[in-house]
Amino acid sequence: MEFSRKEQLASTVTALDEHRKFADSIRKAHQNHSAQTSQLRGLYEEVDKLTKSKSVVPPSDLLVEVVNTQIADAKALIFRDAYLDRLKSFVPAGDNPSYPDILLSLRILQQASERFTSMLEVETDKHSTTGTELQTIAAALRVAEQDEIDFYTEDTNDEEPESSEMDENEDSASEEDDSDATDSDDAEDEEEDSEPAEEDVDSDENQTDEYDEYIRKSEVKAKVDGLISETWFKKYDDVLLFDFEKLDRIGIPLYESPRDGITFEPHQK
């Protein structure tokens, strides 16, 4: 018996694989952002001191190079930020820029980093929520798959003893026919009396049970190593069961990276 929700289970497994790729990208984004924030904070403080002291010594080539690298790193992590896109690197030719100009550029980087922090938190929560939903759905479908297999396996096993009993009855009946004519006549009378009972048996056999999808929340929780999504369960007669109607209605949830602000596509080189 093939699992009736085989396609949904396969789609959920595929979605989980893609979801894990995004998880790696988000983790790298957090690491890069943390390192850039730390570097940017220290760099801004140093240039701010030099600006306030009105140093007569112009910015060095090394300082300009470090600032340009900071701008390039920020644009590699954050994209489609209008204000960051307008910020240009300093051209390493001729006189170096003034300290106020460098400080202004670093301040623009700080503000872009702050916007990115909020955006990254939102996307991390969104990614985590989708992952919890996918794990819950996958676990529920796997429990349903096993229950469905067990249901039809038990139904098949229940039919086998009936056929063997019928064979035994046929053998005993043939032995009685060979004994004597009187016993045969009695047997025929008994068979006539038993005909209504056989009709009842046949009518019972025609009434086959249908498999019902009742997957308890406790069964799903036992299959998940971590949190499960409460939104995928519905109460039926004071029991929380997985909501297959919702699954059929809205389909498998997917996480998609944002089009603006964050560069953690899973296949980014």
Side-chain angles (χ1 to χ4, degrees):
M1 179 65 190
E2 188 176 41
F3 182 40
S4 59
R5 294 184 177 274
K6 181 179 179 180
E7 292 184 2
Q8 287 180 329
L9 179 56
S11 298
T12 305
V13 172
T14 301
L16 275 170
D17 291 339
E18 289 297 319
H19 187 269
R20 294 187 183 97
K21 295 177 182 178
F22 280 116
D24 293 338
S25 297
I26 290 177
R27 183 169 55 253
K28 291 178 181 178
H30 273 287
Q31 293 174 348
N32 292 338
H33 180 245
S34 178
Q36 288 185 27
T37 301
S38 175
Q39 176 72 7
L40 180 59
R41 185 185 305 112
L43 187 58
Y44 183 89
E45 290 175 356
E46 290 301 320
V47 176
D48 184 43
K49 292 177 183 178
L50 293 172
T51 303
K52 290 178 179 179
S53 66
K54 297 181 180 181
S55 176
V56 294
V57 179
S60 65
D61 293 341
L62 176 60
L63 176 59
V64 174
E65 180 182 353
V66 170
V67 172
N68 283 341
T69 300
Q70 192 78 34
I71 294 173
D73 290 344
K75 289 188 174 184
L77 180 64
I78 308 169
F79 74 112
R80 297 192 182 96
D81 183 297
Y83 299 99
L84 180 61
D85 289 343
R86 295 171 189 164
L87 180 62
K88 306 298 182 183
S89 299
F90 295 105
V91 179
D95 295 335
N96 287 331
S98 64
Y99 286 113
D101 287 344
I102 294 177
L103 188 66
L104 177 60
S105 295
L106 294 177
R107 183 57 180 162
I108 293 174
L109 289 179
Q110 282 186 331
Q111 291 174 323
S113 178
E114 290 172 1
R115 290 191 293 272
F116 179 79
T117 299
S118 300
M119 195 178 304
L120 186 57
E121 290 177 355
V122 171
E123 287 305 316
T124 302
D125 291 340
K126 180 182 175 183
H127 179 268
S128 177
T129 299
T130 304
T132 302
E133 290 187 76
L134 288 173
Q135 289 182 344
T136 302
I137 294 170
L141 288 172
R142 289 190 176 101
V143 173
E145 180 181 29
Q146 188 59 51
D147 285 356
E148 188 171 323
I149 292 173
D150 294 343
F151 175 83
Y152 288 108
T153 301
E154 291 176 0
D155 188 61
T156 303
N157 293 337
D158 291 341
E159 294 177 357
E160 292 179 355
E162 294 179 0
S163 61
S164 61
E165 289 177 1
M166 291 177 64
D167 294 338
E168 292 177 359
N169 291 336
E170 290 177 358
D171 295 338
S172 60
S174 61
E175 291 176 359
E176 290 176 357
D177 291 340
D178 294 337
S179 61
D180 51 61
T182 303
D183 293 341
S184 177
D185 293 337
D186 295 339
E188 290 177 358
D189 294 338
E190 292 177 356
E191 289 176 359
E192 292 177 357
D193 295 338
S194 63
E195 285 180 359
E198 292 179 357
E199 292 178 358
D200 294 338
V201 173
D202 293 338
S203 63
D204 292 339
E205 291 177 352
N206 292 332
Q207 297 178 355
T208 57
D209 295 332
E210 294 184 358
Y211 171 71
D212 292 324
E213 295 176 319
Y214 295 117
I215 306 302
R216 296 174 179 267
K217 177 183 175 181
S218 57
E219 295 178 290
V220 176
K221 191 174 182 61
K223 291 287 185 179
V224 177
D225 184 15
L227 299 176
I228 62 174
S229 176
E230 303 288 343
T231 60
W232 283 93
F233 295 93
K234 189 175 181 179
K235 182 175 288 188
Y236 295 91
D237 297 332
D238 296 330
V239 179
L240 287 175
L241 301 178
F242 184 80
D243 194 350
F244 284 102
E245 293 179 357
K246 178 180 178 180
L247 180 61
D248 294 334
R249 185 174 67 254
I250 69 174
I252 308 299
L254 299 174
Y255 173 78
E256 297 180 357
S257 63
R259 295 181 179 180
D260 297 323
I262 299 176
T263 60
F264 48 81
E265 294 95 339
H267 304 298
Q268 180 185 8
K269 295 182 180 179

mmCIF file of all heavy atoms in Angstrom, residues 144-171:
data_model
loop_
_atom_site.group_PDB
_atom_site.id
_atom_site.type_symbol
_atom_site.label_atom_id
_atom_site.label_comp_id
_atom_site.label_asym_id
_atom_site.label_seq_id
_atom_site.Cartn_x
_atom_site.Cartn_y
_atom_site.Cartn_z
ATOM 1 N N ALA A 144 1.952 9.535 10.135
ATOM 2 C CA ALA A 144 0.790 9.129 9.342
ATOM 3 C C ALA A 144 1.143 8.001 8.376
ATOM 4 O O ALA A 144 0.345 7.080 8.163
ATOM 5 C CB ALA A 144 0.247 10.330 8.564
ATOM 6 N N GLU A 145 2.352 8.069 7.801
ATOM 7 C CA GLU A 145 2.789 7.023 6.882
ATOM 8 C C GLU A 145 2.865 5.671 7.592
ATOM 9 O O GLU A 145 2.372 4.656 7.088
ATOM 10 C CB GLU A 145 4.155 7.384 6.299
ATOM 11 C CG GLU A 145 4.708 6.354 5.335
ATOM 12 C CD GLU A 145 6.070 6.728 4.801
ATOM 13 O OE1 GLU A 145 6.820 7.429 5.519
ATOM 14 O OE2 GLU A 145 6.395 6.331 3.673
ATOM 15 N N GLN A 146 3.470 5.652 8.782
ATOM 16 C CA GLN A 146 3.587 4.401 9.528
ATOM 17 C C GLN A 146 2.221 3.895 9.981
ATOM 18 O O GLN A 146 1.936 2.689 9.912
ATOM 19 C CB GLN A 146 4.503 4.594 10.738
ATOM 20 C CG GLN A 146 4.843 3.304 11.468
ATOM 21 C CD GLN A 146 5.542 2.302 10.574
ATOM 22 O OE1 GLN A 146 6.527 2.627 9.914
ATOM 23 N NE2 GLN A 146 5.037 1.069 10.535
ATOM 24 N N ASP A 147 1.366 4.791 10.429
ATOM 25 C CA ASP A 147 0.027 4.385 10.864
ATOM 26 C C ASP A 147 -0.779 3.803 9.714
ATOM 27 O O ASP A 147 -1.513 2.826 9.884
ATOM 28 C CB ASP A 147 -0.721 5.587 11.456
ATOM 29 C CG ASP A 147 -0.225 5.951 12.842
ATOM 30 O OD1 ASP A 147 0.643 5.223 13.362
ATOM 31 O OD2 ASP A 147 -0.705 6.954 13.401
ATOM 32 N N GLU A 148 -0.644 4.395 8.543
ATOM 33 C CA GLU A 148 -1.387 3.911 7.378
ATOM 34 C C GLU A 148 -0.895 2.526 6.964
ATOM 35 O O GLU A 148 -1.692 1.643 6.625
ATOM 36 C CB GLU A 148 -1.237 4.905 6.225
ATOM 37 C CG GLU A 148 -2.132 4.597 5.035
ATOM 38 C CD GLU A 148 -2.114 5.710 4.011
ATOM 39 O OE1 GLU A 148 -2.053 6.895 4.415
ATOM 40 O OE2 GLU A 148 -2.166 5.396 2.809
ATOM 41 N N ILE A 149 0.409 2.322 7.011
ATOM 42 C CA ILE A 149 0.963 1.007 6.677
ATOM 43 C C ILE A 149 0.486 -0.041 7.673
ATOM 44 O O ILE A 149 0.062 -1.144 7.300
ATOM 45 C CB ILE A 149 2.502 1.073 6.651
ATOM 46 C CG1 ILE A 149 2.981 1.940 5.483
ATOM 47 C CG2 ILE A 149 3.100 -0.332 6.548
ATOM 48 C CD1 ILE A 149 4.477 2.182 5.487
ATOM 49 N N ASP A 150 0.547 0.310 8.962
ATOM 50 C CA ASP A 150 0.102 -0.626 9.998
ATOM 51 C C ASP A 150 -1.377 -0.955 9.864
ATOM 52 O O ASP A 150 -1.796 -2.099 10.074
ATOM 53 C CB ASP A 150 0.370 -0.035 11.385
ATOM 54 C CG ASP A 150 1.850 0.104 11.683
ATOM 55 O OD1 ASP A 150 2.649 -0.545 10.984
ATOM 56 O OD2 ASP A 150 2.207 0.873 12.601
ATOM 57 N N PHE A 151 -2.174 0.044 9.497
ATOM 58 C CA PHE A 151 -3.622 -0.154 9.377
ATOM 59 C C PHE A 151 -3.939 -1.197 8.308
ATOM 60 O O PHE A 151 -4.693 -2.139 8.542
ATOM 61 C CB PHE A 151 -4.302 1.176 9.043
ATOM 62 C CG PHE A 151 -5.777 1.051 8.787
ATOM 63 C CD1 PHE A 151 -6.682 1.035 9.838
ATOM 64 C CD2 PHE A 151 -6.256 0.950 7.487
ATOM 65 C CE1 PHE A 151 -8.035 0.918 9.606
ATOM 66 C CE2 PHE A 151 -7.612 0.841 7.245
ATOM 67 C CZ PHE A 151 -8.511 0.819 8.300
ATOM 68 N N TYR A 152 -3.352 -1.041 7.136
ATOM 69 C CA TYR A 152 -3.654 -1.968 6.040
ATOM 70 C C TYR A 152 -2.964 -3.309 6.232
ATOM 71 O O TYR A 152 -3.437 -4.330 5.733
ATOM 72 C CB TYR A 152 -3.259 -1.337 4.696
ATOM 73 C CG TYR A 152 -4.193 -0.216 4.293
ATOM 74 C CD1 TYR A 152 -3.778 1.119 4.341
ATOM 75 C CD2 TYR A 152 -5.500 -0.489 3.902
ATOM 76 C CE1 TYR A 152 -4.643 2.145 3.987
ATOM 77 C CE2 TYR A 152 -6.370 0.533 3.544
ATOM 78 C CZ TYR A 152 -5.939 1.848 3.595
ATOM 79 O OH TYR A 152 -6.795 2.864 3.253
ATOM 80 N N THR A 153 -1.844 -3.315 6.947
ATOM 81 C CA THR A 153 -1.192 -4.592 7.246
ATOM 82 C C THR A 153 -2.042 -5.421 8.193
ATOM 83 O O THR A 153 -2.226 -6.633 7.998
ATOM 84 C CB THR A 153 0.194 -4.347 7.873
ATOM 85 O OG1 THR A 153 1.002 -3.584 6.978
ATOM 86 C CG2 THR A 153 0.880 -5.671 8.183
ATOM 87 N N GLU A 154 -2.589 -4.803 9.221
ATOM 88 C CA GLU A 154 -3.470 -5.506 10.148
ATOM 89 C C GLU A 154 -4.729 -5.999 9.458
ATOM 90 O O GLU A 154 -5.221 -7.089 9.726
ATOM 91 C CB GLU A 154 -3.845 -4.570 11.307
ATOM 92 C CG GLU A 154 -2.675 -4.262 12.230
ATOM 93 C CD GLU A 154 -3.051 -3.257 13.302
ATOM 94 O OE1 GLU A 154 -4.230 -2.821 13.300
ATOM 95 O OE2 GLU A 154 -2.196 -2.909 14.122
ATOM 96 N N ASP A 155 -5.252 -5.188 8.533
ATOM 97 C CA ASP A 155 -6.453 -5.574 7.803
ATOM 98 C C ASP A 155 -6.198 -6.806 6.955
ATOM 99 O O ASP A 155 -7.036 -7.694 6.837
ATOM 100 C CB ASP A 155 -6.918 -4.406 6.930
ATOM 101 C CG ASP A 155 -8.263 -4.677 6.287
ATOM 102 O OD1 ASP A 155 -9.241 -4.872 7.030
ATOM 103 O OD2 ASP A 155 -8.341 -4.687 5.042
ATOM 104 N N THR A 156 -4.990 -6.887 6.351
ATOM 105 C CA THR A 156 -4.640 -8.047 5.535
ATOM 106 C C THR A 156 -4.462 -9.286 6.400
ATOM 107 O O THR A 156 -4.899 -10.382 6.042
ATOM 108 C CB THR A 156 -3.345 -7.779 4.753
ATOM 109 O OG1 THR A 156 -3.508 -6.603 3.958
ATOM 110 C CG2 THR A 156 -2.994 -8.956 3.854
ATOM 111 N N ASN A 157 -3.838 -9.119 7.557
ATOM 112 C CA ASN A 157 -3.631 -10.256 8.451
ATOM 113 C C ASN A 157 -4.932 -10.801 8.999
ATOM 114 O O ASN A 157 -5.065 -12.007 9.239
ATOM 115 C CB ASN A 157 -2.722 -9.835 9.617
ATOM 116 C CG ASN A 157 -1.304 -9.522 9.158
ATOM 117 O OD1 ASN A 157 -0.875 -10.005 8.104
ATOM 118 N ND2 ASN A 157 -0.596 -8.719 9.927
ATOM 119 N N ASP A 158 -5.910 -9.927 9.187
ATOM 120 C CA ASP A 158 -7.200 -10.380 9.691
ATOM 121 C C ASP A 158 -7.942 -11.235 8.672
ATOM 122 O O ASP A 158 -8.753 -12.089 9.029
ATOM 123 C CB ASP A 158 -8.079 -9.175 10.069
ATOM 124 C CG ASP A 158 -7.539 -8.465 11.297
ATOM 125 O OD1 ASP A 158 -6.754 -9.097 12.033
ATOM 126 O OD2 ASP A 158 -7.888 -7.290 11.505
ATOM 127 N N GLU A 159 -7.691 -11.047 7.399
ATOM 128 C CA GLU A 159 -8.376 -11.815 6.366
ATOM 129 C C GLU A 159 -7.794 -13.203 6.178
ATOM 130 O O GLU A 159 -8.481 -14.125 5.789
ATOM 131 C CB GLU A 159 -8.309 -11.055 5.039
ATOM 132 C CG GLU A 159 -9.096 -9.751 5.062
ATOM 133 C CD GLU A 159 -8.940 -8.989 3.763
ATOM 134 O OE1 GLU A 159 -8.169 -9.473 2.899
ATOM 135 O OE2 GLU A 159 -9.585 -7.937 3.603
ATOM 136 N N GLU A 160 -6.525 -13.421 6.463
ATOM 137 C CA GLU A 160 -5.876 -14.699 6.216
ATOM 138 C C GLU A 160 -6.436 -15.844 7.064
ATOM 139 O O GLU A 160 -6.716 -16.921 6.536
ATOM 140 C CB GLU A 160 -4.365 -14.561 6.436
ATOM 141 C CG GLU A 160 -3.709 -13.674 5.390
ATOM 142 C CD GLU A 160 -2.228 -13.527 5.642
ATOM 143 O OE1 GLU A 160 -1.778 -14.042 6.694
ATOM 144 O OE2 GLU A 160 -1.541 -12.926 4.799
ATOM 145 N N PRO A 161 -6.668 -15.709 8.373
ATOM 146 C CA PRO A 161 -7.204 -16.808 9.161
ATOM 147 C C PRO A 161 -8.582 -17.254 8.681
ATOM 148 O O PRO A 161 -8.913 -18.429 8.764
ATOM 149 C CB PRO A 161 -7.287 -16.222 10.584
ATOM 150 C CG PRO A 161 -6.270 -15.146 10.590
ATOM 151 C CD PRO A 161 -6.301 -14.574 9.220
ATOM 152 N N GLU A 162 -9.387 -16.351 8.123
ATOM 153 C CA GLU A 162 -10.703 -16.721 7.654
ATOM 154 C C GLU A 162 -10.618 -17.707 6.507
ATOM 155 O O GLU A 162 -11.375 -18.667 6.424
ATOM 156 C CB GLU A 162 -11.458 -15.470 7.229
ATOM 157 C CG GLU A 162 -11.763 -14.525 8.393
ATOM 158 C CD GLU A 162 -12.495 -13.295 7.919
ATOM 159 O OE1 GLU A 162 -12.741 -13.202 6.702
ATOM 160 O OE2 GLU A 162 -12.818 -12.441 8.757
ATOM 161 N N SER A 163 -9.667 -17.479 5.596
ATOM 162 C CA SER A 163 -9.532 -18.389 4.465
ATOM 163 C C SER A 163 -9.065 -19.762 4.911
ATOM 164 O O SER A 163 -9.501 -20.777 4.401
ATOM 165 C CB SER A 163 -8.559 -17.797 3.440
ATOM 166 O OG SER A 163 -7.285 -17.617 4.031
ATOM 167 N N SER A 164 -8.175 -19.825 5.909
ATOM 168 C CA SER A 164 -7.697 -21.112 6.387
ATOM 169 C C SER A 164 -8.798 -21.878 7.092
ATOM 170 O O SER A 164 -8.897 -23.090 6.991
ATOM 171 C CB SER A 164 -6.495 -20.907 7.317
ATOM 172 O OG SER A 164 -6.883 -20.140 8.436
ATOM 173 N N GLU A 165 -9.636 -21.141 7.810
ATOM 174 C CA GLU A 165 -10.737 -21.804 8.485
ATOM 175 C C GLU A 165 -11.725 -22.384 7.487
ATOM 176 O O GLU A 165 -12.278 -23.462 7.697
ATOM 177 C CB GLU A 165 -11.442 -20.798 9.406
ATOM 178 C CG GLU A 165 -10.614 -20.429 10.629
ATOM 179 C CD GLU A 165 -11.327 -19.373 11.469
ATOM 180 O OE1 GLU A 165 -12.451 -18.994 11.066
ATOM 181 O OE2 GLU A 165 -10.758 -18.966 12.495
ATOM 182 N N MET A 166 -11.927 -21.677 6.387
ATOM 183 C CA MET A 166 -12.820 -22.201 5.355
ATOM 184 C C MET A 166 -12.271 -23.466 4.742
ATOM 185 O O MET A 166 -13.010 -24.408 4.446
ATOM 186 C CB MET A 166 -13.018 -21.143 4.270
ATOM 187 C CG MET A 166 -13.838 -19.933 4.745
ATOM 188 S SD MET A 166 -13.995 -18.674 3.496
ATOM 189 C CE MET A 166 -14.949 -19.589 2.268
ATOM 190 N N ASP A 167 -10.931 -23.535 4.551
ATOM 191 C CA ASP A 167 -10.325 -24.745 4.015
ATOM 192 C C ASP A 167 -10.520 -25.908 4.961
ATOM 193 O O ASP A 167 -10.800 -27.040 4.549
ATOM 194 C CB ASP A 167 -8.819 -24.526 3.771
ATOM 195 C CG ASP A 167 -8.604 -23.483 2.667
ATOM 196 O OD1 ASP A 167 -9.534 -23.282 1.860
ATOM 197 O OD2 ASP A 167 -7.507 -22.891 2.638
ATOM 198 N N GLU A 168 -10.373 -25.673 6.278
ATOM 199 C CA GLU A 168 -10.558 -26.737 7.253
ATOM 200 C C GLU A 168 -11.996 -27.227 7.261
ATOM 201 O O GLU A 168 -12.265 -28.432 7.369
ATOM 202 C CB GLU A 168 -10.174 -26.226 8.650
ATOM 203 C CG GLU A 168 -8.678 -25.954 8.785
ATOM 204 C CD GLU A 168 -8.349 -25.375 10.141
ATOM 205 O OE1 GLU A 168 -9.291 -25.180 10.932
ATOM 206 O OE2 GLU A 168 -7.156 -25.134 10.413
ATOM 207 N N ASN A 169 -12.942 -26.323 7.124
ATOM 208 C CA ASN A 169 -14.343 -26.719 7.086
ATOM 209 C C ASN A 169 -14.650 -27.555 5.866
ATOM 210 O O ASN A 169 -15.431 -28.520 5.906
ATOM 211 C CB ASN A 169 -15.239 -25.475 7.087
ATOM 212 C CG ASN A 169 -15.178 -24.743 8.413
ATOM 213 O OD1 ASN A 169 -14.860 -25.354 9.439
ATOM 214 N ND2 ASN A 169 -15.487 -23.448 8.406
ATOM 215 N N GLU A 170 -14.004 -27.181 4.722
ATOM 216 C CA GLU A 170 -14.215 -27.964 3.513
ATOM 217 C C GLU A 170 -13.656 -29.375 3.650
ATOM 218 O O GLU A 170 -14.249 -30.353 3.209
ATOM 219 C CB GLU A 170 -13.564 -27.258 2.320
ATOM 220 C CG GLU A 170 -14.286 -25.976 1.927
ATOM 221 C CD GLU A 170 -13.586 -25.260 0.806
ATOM 222 O OE1 GLU A 170 -12.521 -25.765 0.373
ATOM 223 O OE2 GLU A 170 -14.079 -24.204 0.353
ATOM 224 N N ASP A 171 -12.483 -29.528 4.304
ATOM 225 C CA ASP A 171 -11.895 -30.846 4.495
ATOM 226 C C ASP A 171 -12.761 -31.710 5.395
ATOM 227 O O ASP A 171 -12.995 -32.897 5.125
ATOM 228 C CB ASP A 171 -10.489 -30.717 5.113
ATOM 229 C CG ASP A 171 -9.538 -30.022 4.140
ATOM 230 O OD1 ASP A 171 -9.825 -30.048 2.916
ATOM 231 O OD2 ASP A 171 -8.526 -29.475 4.604
#
